[in-house]
Amino acid sequence: MSRIEFKEVSKRYGPALPLTINKAELTVEHGEFCVFVGPSGCGKSTLLRMVAGLEEISEGELIIGGTTVNKLPPSKRGVAMVFQSYALYPHMTVAENMAFGLRILGADRTAIDRKVKAAADILQLGPLMNRLPKELSGGQRQRVAIGRAIVKEPKVFLFDEPLSNLDAALRVQTRLEIAKLHRELGSASMIYVTHDQVEAMTLADKIVLLHTGDLIQERGSVAQTGSPMMLYHRPASLFVAEFIGSPKMNILSAKLISAEHSHAVVEVAGHRLNAAVDARHLAAGASVKLGIRPEHIVLGEEGAPASIQVALEHVERLGDASLLYVNLPGGPSMFTVRVEGSVRPVQGTSLSLRLLPDQLHLFDSAGLACTRTVELPT
Ligand SMILES: Nc1ncnc2c1ncn2[C@@H]1O[C@H](COP(=O)(O)OP(=O)(O)OP(=O)(O)O)[C@@H](O)[C@H]1O
Ligand SMILES: [Mg+2]
C-alpha cells in the first residue's frame, strides 16, 4: 500500500526560526495523484523532502503504507524523487544513469536490464540510451530523470517542479506524459509540487494548497485540500479564492443586508445584489467581501437586473478571449472581466456588468467563505 499520512507534522529549520510547516494534516490515498501548490516559500519542497527522508520531521508523525517512517532512511521508504534540476550524472549514458540506482543496491544484472528497458519503453527513450546528458534536450533529460525513478519501482513518486525548466510546448507534452505514467503505474501514489495552475488543475486528483507567512501560525499550514473543481468552485477562504484561478478572482468590499438559507442580500458600491450563499451566521450590517471570477461576469444591457455600470479602462486581447479592466466604484483597481475574443468593446466606453447570484462568493471579515447554496460541478 502506498497511502501517505501526515499527522500534525511540523517543521522548524532552527530554534530561532519560525515554523515552516505547522501541524500539517493530510492524506494521500493509495494510487492518488496529489499536487502541492502555494506561494513561494510556503513549504512545498520542505513537505516533499520530509516524505523522501531528506529533511528531518520536527514534530508529528509521517506514515507511508501503514509504517511510521520518521526515523527511516530514504533508501528504506520506497520513494523516488524527481527534481527540477534533473540531477543526472554527466559522464554516464542515459542507460547508465537509469541503471545506476539499482546497480549500487547490488541488483541482478538481467533484472536491471529488464527494468531499464521497460522504463525506456514507457518514456520512449529507446533511441537515446547511449547518449550522454549533454547530448539531450531539457525535456529528454527530464524524461531520463523520471526513468531513473521508475526503475526503482517505488510505491511513491515525488516530483518537485519537474517541468519548470522546460519551454511552454515541452511542458504540455511532458505534463501529458506524466498523467499517462500515473495511469499506467496505477498503484503508485504521486506527490507533485508546482507553481503552475494548469498543471495543478489538470494532473491532480487532489490539490493541497498551503498557506504562507502569518497565516501558517494562525491556521496551520494547509489552507484547503480537495479536488481541483472543489477548490475552484468552493474555496474555503479568501486566500484560496484568490490563489486558484487565473486571472484572479475579483474581490469587492460589501455590507451584508440580510441572509436567508439559500441566499443573502449584500450592498456593494451602492447596488443591492443577491448572492446564492448561506450567510445566516453573520449579523446584518456586517462587513463582508464579495468575490466573482473574471470568467463569470456577464456583459448585459444597460438597466438589466443585477447590473452595474462601469467605465472600460483597458482591453487586453488574447485571441480566444479578451480581458477587460474596468473601473468599479469601491472595487479593486484592476477589476477584471474575461469575455470571448470575438467581443470588441472599445476602450473608454461604458459597460454594463451583470453579477449573477449563482456566480458570487461571500467571505466574512476573517476571510472565511460562506457555503454556496447553488449546485456546482464536482
Ligand atoms: N535548510 C533550510 N534552512 C533554513 N530555512 C529553510 C531551509 N530550507 C528552506 N527554508 C525555509 O523554509 C521555507 C519553505 O521553503 P521551501 O523550499 O519548502 O518552500 P517552497 O514552497 O518549496 O518554495 P518555492 O515555491 O520557492 O520552491 C522558506 O521560508 C525557506 O526559506
Ligand atoms: Mg520549492
Side-chain angles (χ1 to χ4, degrees):
M1 287 292 281
S2 55
R3 192 167 193 255
I4 306 153
E5 293 165 84
F6 291 81
K7 301 225 170 205
E8 302 210 341
V9 168
S10 295
K11 173 71 187 178
R12 199 186 288 279
Y13 276 105
L17 295 172
L19 281 170
T20 290
I21 300 291
N22 182 16
K23 294 194 192 307
E25 273 285 326
L26 63 105
T27 303
V28 181
E29 299 296 344
H30 180 73
E32 191 169 53
F33 201 122
C34 180
V35 174
F36 290 173
V37 287
S40 188
C42 69
K44 302 178 294 293
S45 297
T46 300
L47 274 181
L48 210 62
R49 292 169 61 81
M50 288 197 283
V51 178
L54 302 174
E55 209 59 75
E56 207 167 304
I57 295 164
S58 308
E59 265 174 58
E61 197 182 356
L62 179 67
I63 302 167
I64 302 178
T67 307
T68 301
V69 299
N70 289 42
K71 298 282 170 226
L72 215 58
S75 59
K76 297 261 160 47
R77 294 190 180 196
V79 306
M81 190 150 167
V82 177
F83 302 90
Q84 174 182 343
S85 60
Y86 323 132
L88 301 177
Y89 297 108
H91 57 288
M92 290 186 194
T93 64
V94 168
E96 286 162 353
N97 261 291
M98 283 167 67
F100 184 72
L102 298 177
R103 203 162 284 157
I104 52 169
L105 290 177
D108 170 70
R109 182 95 212 194
T110 48
I112 295 177
D113 288 348
R114 182 172 43 76
K115 287 179 186 176
V116 169
K117 172 148 192 342
D121 285 347
I122 292 177
L123 297 165
Q124 293 160 14
L125 287 170
L128 308 175
M129 295 307 271
N130 294 320
R131 292 208 198 164
L132 292 172
K134 67 172 187 220
E135 297 162 338
L136 302 175
S137 72
Q140 291 166 337
R141 282 180 214 174
Q142 194 52 292
R143 294 223 298 276
V144 177
I146 295 170
R148 196 174 45 181
I150 294 175
V151 298
K152 289 163 86 178
E153 297 176 345
K155 290 183 290 189
V156 178
F157 283 84
L158 306 173
F159 295 94
D160 197 350
E161 308 208 33
L163 309 186
S164 37
N165 285 351
L166 308 183
D167 69 31
L170 212 46
R171 280 180 88 123
V172 174
Q173 190 192 334
T174 317
R175 184 175 86 213
L176 292 170
E177 279 169 11
I178 290 176
K180 185 161 148 251
L181 178 70
H182 177 238
R183 273 200 308 277
E184 284 174 8
L185 306 174
S187 67
S189 305
M190 299 196 171
I191 306 182
Y192 188 102
V193 169
T194 183
H195 268 107
D196 184 305
Q197 293 253 348
V198 179
E199 281 173 30
M201 296 300 281
T202 55
L203 288 171
D205 295 314
K206 180 193 279 170
I207 294 180
V208 174
L209 173 53
L210 302 169
H211 281 308
T212 188
D214 292 342
L215 280 170
I216 294 183
Q217 322 299 337
E218 255 177 58
R219 296 187 190 151
S221 284
V222 179
Q224 192 172 355
T225 301
S227 68
M229 287 305 126
M230 175 88 175
L231 267 66
Y232 178 80
H233 289 294
R234 296 189 182 277
S237 64
L238 207 48
F239 174 80
V240 180
E242 291 193 278
F243 193 87
I244 300 286
S246 177
K248 255 165 88 153
M249 184 186 280
N250 296 296
I251 305 295
L252 300 165
S253 293
K255 186 168 84 174
L256 183 67
I257 302 298
S258 64
E260 289 176 32
H261 75 281
S262 64
H263 76 277
V265 178
V266 295
E267 192 175 277
V268 54
H271 294 76
R272 292 220 166 168
L273 296 176
N274 250 320
V277 299
D278 184 352
R280 286 174 297 169
H281 58 295
L282 303 179
S287 293
V288 289
K289 299 277 187 208
L290 192 71
I292 185 159
R293 296 197 183 278
E295 58 274 33
H296 292 157
I297 299 169
V298 182
L299 296 186
E301 299 288 308
E302 194 173 336
S307 69
I308 298 182
Q309 214 56 32
V310 295
L312 178 57
E313 298 271 316
H314 185 68
V315 181
E316 282 179 345
R317 303 196 77 198
L318 306 174
D320 62 329
S322 293
L323 300 179
L324 315 181
Y325 298 98
V326 304
N327 193 351
L328 199 131
S333 53
M334 295 277 265
F335 193 94
T336 314
V337 183
R338 187 184 161 101
V339 295
E340 287 275 314
S342 54
V343 180
R344 294 199 68 176
V346 179
Q347 219 144 300
T349 54
S350 164
L351 287 177
S352 182
L353 306 184
R354 299 189 68 199
L355 310 186
L356 300 175
D358 288 1
Q359 306 290 12
L360 296 177
H361 298 247
L362 201 67
F363 305 92
D364 69 14
S365 55
L368 297 179
C370 298
T371 307
R372 297 180 73 188
T373 54
V374 57
E375 197 153 329
L376 294 163
T378 51

